[in-house]
Amino acid sequence: MLELLGSVFTNKYSEGYPGRRYYGGQEFTDQIENLARQRACALFRAEHANVQPLSGSPMNQAVYLGLLQPGDTILAMDLSHGGHLTHGAPVSHMGRLFNFARYKTQPSNGGAIDFDELRAMAGHVRPKLVLCGYSSYPRDLDYASFKSIADEVGALTMADVSHYGGLIAGNALRNPLDAGFDVMTTTSHKTLRGPRGGIVLCRREFAGKIDASVFPGLQGGPHMNVVAGTAVTLKKASTPDFHAYARLVMRNAKVLAEALMERGMTLITGGTDNHMMVVDTVASVGLDGGAAENILDAVGITANKQIIPDDPRPPLKPSGIRLGTPAATTRGMGEPEMRLIAEFIAESLRSKGDAAVVKRLRSNSVEMCLRFPRSGDRAALIGGRPAFRSSRHSAGREGSRGKDRNGN
Ligand SMILES: *Cc1c(COP(=O)(O)O)cnc(C)c1O
């Protein structure tokens, strides 16, 4: 995949779609794009796929602009409850162009979506589109309930599975298209582990509108080097190895969540059913998410500050952090490492960043990471030392070069 990103397709213009391009010399780009589209449809059980969106945000914009009129109402998940910026955050252009009404989760119900409230809202605001999908919600979604509410008010249905498209591909989470959704969008670079891009999947009747909206509506020439990498990614995502990976990501998340809670950490919704979790650091240790992020950085753990549902605190000093297991799982980490990571996190945060504690835990976390090198990244330095000085890979330093742990 990395080879394709740096291939000659980086330089080739191919505005249009296979068989209908505005440039010559498309013999191979047409094959690549058709392959990516066919693989995307097969993998996600979709009738049509557009693989040209340059990333997740333009992908969602293309759907709104292609299927709706400016000013139309979209029902979407509130940002602090797990939704994405492109789901109508007031700071986003889409938030100004469309009329977003935002629904929430219900803390009293384990953080589930309150479908009674959603049904009442839908009856009141009469949306043209019911949108679901999340960036920071640690549970799976009941797509059939979204679909029946949308049907009651004659709205289209769209699921943005950007964060967990790989887990759907790996049959580890529900597929909204199986529940009859009209549109599903996903990035190619999060749990799908591909190059950075976006994929729109939809029912055949929307194919023309979606394609015209992506190009020429919103974008110019597609990044064919990325589309080629996406085609490889989609093939890998259909293998038993990838299905096993998806299950392991979720198993690791469960283990990490439980180990954190055993160490007194408070998790939003009390756990996880997917690949991520949100820790309420204020409730757990009296630290805001920004401070927690900095302490974890010092320990060698990369996490991000995260707003929690109806967070009273500002976005740069929110109440929590968000953790996920896909990257660590890709490196080959399993249950013992999840327990260690929980210990590093809980101990360092509880110490409020005490220098001696951080120094000790950093050395432990670097030691652990060196046992699970990021293959394909031979020059990377972890803790000031080459990542590849690990006995696990010592025999294969050159021999394993062509493939990293992604197989990419
Ligand atoms: C990441 C994400 C996006 C946007 O993707 P970018 O590639 O960062 O533009 C859109 N929707 C959801 C739910 C996401 O998690």
Side-chain angles (χ1 to χ4, degrees):
M1 182 199 77
L2 290 173
E3 277 169 40
L4 282 166
L5 288 182
S7 70
V8 67
F9 294 107
T10 309
N11 305 322
K12 184 76 198 90
Y13 250 101
S14 6
E15 280 176 5
Y17 289 100
R20 289 181 287 123
R21 305 277 192 193
Y22 293 85
Y23 291 81
Q26 306 294 344
E27 184 184 351
F28 299 110
T29 52
D30 277 9
Q31 289 179 35
I32 286 169
E33 188 168 352
N34 278 329
L35 199 58
R37 294 204 292 197
Q38 286 156 13
R39 285 178 180 171
C41 286
L43 185 64
F44 292 109
R45 298 182 286 281
E47 291 178 0
H48 179 75
N50 187 307
V51 295
Q52 291 194 6
L54 303 179
S55 207
S57 298
M59 153 192 91
N60 286 345
Q61 290 164 12
V63 175
Y64 305 152
L65 294 164
L67 301 184
L68 307 173
Q69 296 299 320
D72 277 356
T73 296
I74 302 174
L75 203 51
M77 195 165 183
D78 189 271
L79 183 70
S80 81
H81 286 248
H84 186 258
L85 276 174
T86 53
H87 300 182
V91 293
S92 72
H93 289 312
M94 294 301 113
R96 284 195 286 272
L97 203 51
F98 295 97
N99 173 37
F100 280 87
R102 273 162 296 158
Y103 57 86
K104 298 185 169 186
T105 58
Q106 206 182 34
S108 61
N109 188 16
I113 305 235
D114 183 343
F115 283 106
D116 292 334
E117 184 199 314
L118 189 68
R119 177 171 279 107
M121 273 181 90
H124 183 62
V125 304
R126 312 296 296 180
K128 287 276 167 34
L129 177 71
V130 172
L131 169 64
C132 62
Y134 51 78
S135 306
S136 58
Y137 178 66
R139 302 289 174 183
D140 201 1
L141 293 177
D142 172 5
Y143 298 106
S145 292
F146 281 106
K147 171 77 176 138
S148 80
I149 288 171
D151 285 349
E152 284 167 26
V153 294
L156 297 172
T157 40
M158 169 179 172
D160 173 4
V161 304
S162 285
H163 234 268
Y164 52 99
L167 302 180
I168 292 173
N171 282 335
L173 288 177
R174 295 182 192 119
N175 182 340
L177 295 177
D178 292 343
F181 266 52
D182 297 308
V183 181
M184 179 165 95
T185 57
T186 182
T187 63
S188 40
H189 52 271
K190 292 179 182 173
T191 44
L192 264 178
R193 297 202 303 196
R196 305 191 83 92
I199 304 173
V200 181
L201 301 136
C202 65
R203 302 225 323 252
R204 196 168 289 110
E205 63 180 291
F206 302 111
K209 280 184 174 169
I210 293 290
D211 285 355
S213 184
V214 173
F215 174 86
L218 191 66
Q219 296 186 172
H223 297 181
M224 289 310 296
N225 57 328
V226 174
V227 173
T230 301
V232 171
T233 296
L234 292 165
K235 181 167 189 187
K236 285 180 187 301
S238 68
T239 59
D241 269 3
F242 191 85
H243 288 211
Y245 165 71
R247 283 195 300 276
L248 219 53
V249 164
M250 295 198 4
R251 173 80 202 135
N252 276 344
K254 275 243 179 321
V255 173
L256 180 60
E258 267 151 35
L260 285 168
M261 291 187 293
E262 276 165 22
R263 291 170 181 280
M265 297 287 135
T266 305
L267 265 57
I268 301 300
T269 79
T272 177
D273 291 330
N274 54 30
H275 59 300
M276 75 168 100
M277 62 214 72
V278 178
V279 183
D280 184 334
T281 51
V282 171
S284 303
V285 292
L287 284 175
D288 73 69
E293 180 186 293
N294 289 339
I295 292 169
L296 293 179
D297 260 338
V299 172
I301 294 172
T302 304
N304 73 294
K305 52 177 122 20
Q306 175 66 47
I307 48 174
I308 65 170
D310 298 321
D311 205 326
R313 307 177 58 92
L316 288 175
K317 285 179 181 294
S319 298
I321 53 169
R322 181 179 58 159
L323 304 167
T325 51
T329 306
T330 293
R331 288 173 72 148
M333 295 183 189
E335 293 188 25
E337 290 72 36
M338 295 303 122
R339 291 186 214 289
L340 275 175
I341 292 169
E343 184 188 313
F344 301 153
I345 292 173
E347 253 201 77
S348 61
L349 295 186
R350 207 172 288 293
S351 83
K352 304 250 202 299
D354 174 86
V357 173
V358 165
K359 188 163 177 245
R360 172 170 56 82
L361 294 176
R362 180 178 179 87
S363 130
N364 292 349
S365 85
V366 167
E367 189 275 323
M368 184 189 79
C369 287
L370 287 174
R371 288 190 284 119
F372 298 90
R374 282 186 308 186
S375 344
D377 192 5
R378 286 146 44 92
L381 295 174
I382 296 177
R385 285 191 283 158
F388 260 65
R389 233 189 255 159
S390 150
S391 56
R392 280 176 135 241
H393 272 225
S394 55
R397 285 183 65 150
E398 287 307 318
S400 68
R401 199 181 150 213
K403 274 192 178 172
D404 63 17
R405 220 178 266 280
N406 283 343
N408 291 351

